[in-house]
């Protein structure tokens, strides 16, 4: 029998069905295809937080997500969160317009700090999450295939590592035991070089055991 038996289960009924089918993991929500995806207040950033702290819609979504996580735990299941996006808050356009001037570039340290901070906040707010799953390219921001004056000399492999390490940093700052999985969905031919982004050298892959 497979060690991980997982299904998408974004409702209490589907979580119950997963348990009845002898599964041991559920994806309690799959966010994606919206710029501001997983609910977060960005409490680590004073400027963004000042614009989001009173948003009732974010708090309602947080409460609904937490309810599903708690139900999964009650049924004895491991819980995963899936995101298609390398998301950023809408408010970034107002407080950090320079970061979006040429598109969202994960090669910029300031962008990676926002990603790591956001993931850390989510992991702290929802300690029931056992695994964060993400797809790095099938999203609106297109951070991996993105190219600008700042990053056009970087390889796709470098951008993948920048992104993965930023997410891992956020998780590790709260709980290093949380799993991180990267999906290949959305990764196609890259860039000016024409190299496929999954032609990643063995050394990089060997140093990143979370890579799948």
């Amino acid at each position: 029998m497979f060690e991980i038996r997982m299904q998408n289960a974004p409702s209490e009924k589907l979580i119950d069905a997963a348990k009845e089918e002898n599964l041991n993991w559920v994806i309690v929500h799959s966010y994606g295809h919206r710029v501001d995806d997983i609910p977060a207040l960005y409490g680590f950033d004073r400027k963004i937080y000042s614009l989001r702290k009173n948003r009732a819609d974010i708090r309602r979504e947080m409460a609904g997500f937490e309810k599903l996580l708690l139900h999964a735990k009650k049924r004895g299941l491991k819980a995963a969160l899936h995101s298609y996006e390398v998301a950023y808050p809408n408010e970034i356009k107002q407080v950090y317009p320079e970061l979006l001037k040429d598109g969202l570039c994960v090669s910029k340290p300031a962008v990676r700090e926002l990603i790591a901070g956001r993931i850390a906040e989510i992991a702290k707010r929802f300690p029931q999450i056992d695994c964060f799953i993400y797809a790095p390219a099938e999203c609106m921001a297109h951070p991996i295939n993105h190219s600008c004056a700042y990053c056009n000399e970087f390889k796709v492999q470098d951008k993948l590592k920048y992104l993965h390490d930023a997410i891992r940093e956020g998780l590790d700052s709260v709980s290093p035991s949380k799993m991180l999985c990267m999906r290949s969905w959305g990764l196609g031919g890259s860039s000016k070089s024409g190299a496929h982004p999954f032609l990643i050298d063995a050394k990089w892959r060997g140093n990143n055991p979370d890579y799948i």
Side-chain angles (χ1 to χ4, degrees):
M1 183 176 289
F2 291 110
E3 181 179 348
I4 295 178
R5 304 179 302 281
M6 178 186 293
Q7 79 170 21
N8 192 41
S11 71
E12 291 187 1
K13 184 177 181 179
L14 287 171
I15 291 171
D16 291 340
K19 182 67 175 180
E20 291 168 6
E21 293 296 326
N22 197 32
L23 304 182
N24 56 3
W25 280 81
V26 286
I27 301 173
V28 295
H29 213 307
S30 180
Y31 291 92
H33 304 299
R34 68 188 209 197
V35 172
D36 194 1
D37 63 349
I38 304 170
L41 294 173
Y42 286 76
F44 62 93
D45 186 286
R46 179 180 55 83
K47 291 182 178 180
I48 298 176
Y49 180 69
S50 67
L51 298 174
R52 293 172 72 88
K53 62 182 180 181
N54 295 321
R55 283 185 54 183
D57 60 322
I58 294 177
R59 296 186 184 277
R60 280 195 302 269
E61 196 167 1
M62 283 179 165
F65 180 44
E66 184 175 42
K67 184 180 180 181
L68 292 177
L69 285 168
L70 291 173
H71 189 70
K73 292 301 175 180
K74 183 179 178 181
R75 298 307 310 268
L77 298 169
K78 295 278 191 180
L81 172 64
H82 175 267
S83 174
Y84 284 104
E85 316 297 341
V86 185
Y88 55 89
N90 290 314
E91 291 82 358
I92 196 175
K93 301 172 186 176
Q94 181 177 341
V95 298
Y96 298 120
E98 69 279 5
L99 293 184
L100 293 178
K101 181 180 179 182
D102 300 308
L104 193 70
C105 180
V106 294
S107 303
K108 295 180 179 179
V111 171
R112 298 200 299 275
E113 287 174 13
L114 280 177
I115 292 171
R118 171 178 167 272
I119 296 297
E121 180 177 306
I122 292 166
K124 186 175 182 179
R125 174 64 180 80
F126 304 111
Q128 304 89 352
I129 295 173
D130 297 295
C131 178
F132 184 82
I133 306 169
Y134 74 100
E138 215 272 335
C139 62
M140 289 183 265
H142 298 290
I144 303 306
N145 292 329
H146 164 82
S147 181
C148 67
Y150 185 88
C151 72
N152 58 14
E153 298 302 320
F154 289 97
K155 296 179 181 179
V156 173
Q157 294 95 318
D158 296 325
K159 297 173 188 178
L160 280 168
K161 188 174 189 308
Y162 279 143
L163 173 59
H164 191 87
D165 287 353
I167 298 173
R168 183 74 259 177
E169 178 185 338
L171 292 174
D172 286 350
S173 69
V174 177
S175 176
S177 65
K178 293 188 184 298
M179 292 175 62
L180 174 60
C181 295
M182 185 184 82
R183 291 182 63 210
S184 61
W185 185 262
L187 285 174
S190 92
S191 59
K192 303 182 294 185
S193 67
H196 193 285
F198 264 65
L199 296 177
I200 298 174
D201 64 270
K203 181 179 180 181
W204 184 90
R205 194 159 42 230
N207 290 337
N208 289 269
D210 293 323
Y211 173 85
I212 61 172

